[in-house]
Amino acid sequence: MMKSSRSFLISAMLCVAASSVMAASSVMAAETAPVMDNKSCDPPKYPKAALMNEESGTVTMGFLISADGKVVESKVEKSSGSRSLDKAAIGALSQCKFKPGTKDGKAEQAWVKTDFVWKLE
């Protein structure tokens, strides 16, 4: 249980990972990964039970981003160890808008991985 006199500061960090892929023709295509617009959505809120149980950790998520920058599909790739933290992170970040990934200058659907760190201080 959390002591009522104890205060917690919540800090979170997003890390967006990107990678380039070889084109089918064996020629390196100019590709860019989708990029999250952090101002387009609210950050995840610490679930009350997770806060009371002093849970923390990093959840790695995958988002399939459409050519118009919307999340089409999302999945937890590596759990934080807390189901409620994973659910809160993926629920909130699925609402974000993204700058879509491109291939040879044209927007196209692509996957991007994102880490969200839940930390109590």
Side-chain angles (χ1 to χ4, degrees):
M1 277 309 264
M2 183 173 66
K3 295 178 183 178
S4 60
S5 63
R6 188 172 179 187
S7 65
F8 289 96
L9 295 176
I10 302 167
S11 67
M13 177 177 68
L14 289 174
C15 300
V16 179
S19 64
S20 60
V21 180
M22 292 286 279
S25 65
S26 298
V27 176
M28 186 61 92
E31 293 187 22
T32 61
V35 177
M36 183 183 296
D37 176 1
N38 294 328
K39 296 178 182 178
S40 69
C41 58
D42 293 326
K45 292 182 177 39
Y46 230 107
K48 192 177 232 178
L51 188 59
M52 289 176 58
N53 292 324
E54 299 182 18
E55 296 173 0
S56 61
T58 301
V59 56
T60 301
M61 300 159 286
F63 295 101
L64 180 59
I65 309 304
S66 68
D68 64 354
K70 295 179 183 173
V71 175
V72 175
E73 187 178 335
S74 60
K75 61 185 174 181
V76 172
E77 297 208 354
K78 184 177 179 203
S79 176
S80 65
S82 167
R83 194 172 279 178
S84 64
L85 293 179
D86 296 348
K87 185 177 177 180
I90 209 156
L93 298 181
S94 290
Q95 303 306 309
C96 296
K97 300 274 187 209
F98 286 73
K99 179 179 177 186
T102 62
K103 184 173 181 179
D104 294 327
K106 183 179 177 187
E108 72 171 27
Q109 183 170 281
W111 281 94
V112 66
K113 286 186 182 182
T114 301
D115 289 341
F116 190 84
V117 179
W118 295 97
K119 186 176 178 183
L120 296 169
E121 295 179 346

